[in-house]
């Protein structure tokens, strides 16, 4: 086989092309699938806490409550509630406000969430202003030590 025959067979083979329309449709379908997966995961991840989240948001407007429940390796099952507050919770002058807010958060958690799977209830109160140091206070309770106020 000569060099000219090899060149001829390679040039005769049409290059494999994909139409632009197929690429755009594939990208669109991939985007829809990815978005659906993200939304489904967010709903599934937050579903157990929706009732408590709504109750906290109603009780504390603009608090943007974030709730997570779970366990890291070797640690106890923990229900973690993070809320924005309108005072600096870390300051001694606001200790009474932090205590009142924490007490109410615990009451709402007992009313709207099954705490039996959890060993620890951890509440984070956060005050953050632009270009200011974040003030935060973390309060941790053992669920077994909480007074029983579960709905009957």
């Amino acid at each position: 086989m000569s060099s000219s025959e090899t060149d001829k067979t390679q040039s005769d083979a049409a290059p494999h092309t994909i139409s632009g329309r197929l690429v755009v449709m594939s990208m669109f379908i991939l985007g829809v699938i990815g978005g659906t997966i993200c939304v489904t995961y967010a709903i599934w991840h937050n579903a157990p806490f929706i009732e408590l989240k709504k109750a906290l948001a109603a009780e504390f407007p603009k608090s943007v409550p974030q709730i997570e429940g779970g366990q890291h390796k070797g640690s106890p099952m923990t229900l973690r509630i993070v809320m924005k507050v309108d005072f600096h919770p870390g300051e001694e002058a606001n200790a009474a406000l932090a205590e009142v807010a924490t007490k109410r958060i615990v009451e709402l958690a007992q009313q709207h969430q099954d705490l039996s799977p959890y060993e620890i209830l951890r509440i984070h109160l956060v005050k953050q202003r632009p270009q200011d140091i974040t003030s935060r206070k973390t309060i941790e309770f053992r669920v077994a030590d909480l007074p029983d106020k579960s709905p009957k």
Side-chain angles (χ1 to χ4, degrees), residues 84-105:
K84 291 182 181 179
V85 293
D86 58 357
F87 57 90
H88 289 280
E91 294 178 1
E92 190 64 35
N94 295 325
L97 290 172
E99 186 176 333
V100 169
T102 301
K103 183 178 178 186
R104 185 63 183 142
I105 293 167

Side-chain angles (χ1 to χ4, degrees), residues 26-144:
S26 299
M27 289 172 52
F28 178 75
I29 290 169
L30 185 63
V32 169
I33 290 170
T36 303
I37 289 170
C38 288
V39 168
T40 302
Y41 174 77
I43 290 169
W44 174 76
H45 184 71
N46 292 319
F49 313 113
I50 289 176
E51 189 178 333
L52 175 57
K53 192 172 190 173
K54 286 180 180 178
L56 289 170
E59 183 79 19
F60 301 96
K62 298 182 183 178
S63 64
V64 192
Q66 298 173 352
I67 305 168
E68 290 183 353
Q71 171 179 30
H72 293 290
K73 280 187 177 178
S75 66
M77 282 289 287
T78 304
L79 181 65
R80 182 173 162 253
I81 301 172
V82 180
M83 292 186 42
K84 291 182 181 179
V85 293
D86 58 357
F87 57 90
H88 289 280
E91 294 178 1
E92 190 64 35
N94 295 325
L97 290 172
E99 186 176 333
V100 169
T102 301
K103 183 178 178 186
R104 185 63 183 142
I105 293 167
V106 170
E107 289 172 359
L108 289 171
Q110 288 177 313
Q111 291 172 10
H112 297 282
Q113 187 70 40
D114 178 17
L115 298 179
S116 63
Y118 304 102
E119 295 177 48
I120 303 292
L121 173 61
R122 186 174 296 144
I123 299 171
H124 300 274
L125 301 177
V126 179
K127 169 68 174 177
Q128 185 174 12
R129 290 191 307 211
Q131 307 205 2
D132 194 8
I133 296 174
T134 301
S135 175
R136 64 183 77 186
K137 183 173 187 170
T138 300
I139 305 99
E140 191 170 290
F141 301 95
R142 292 189 43 77
V143 172

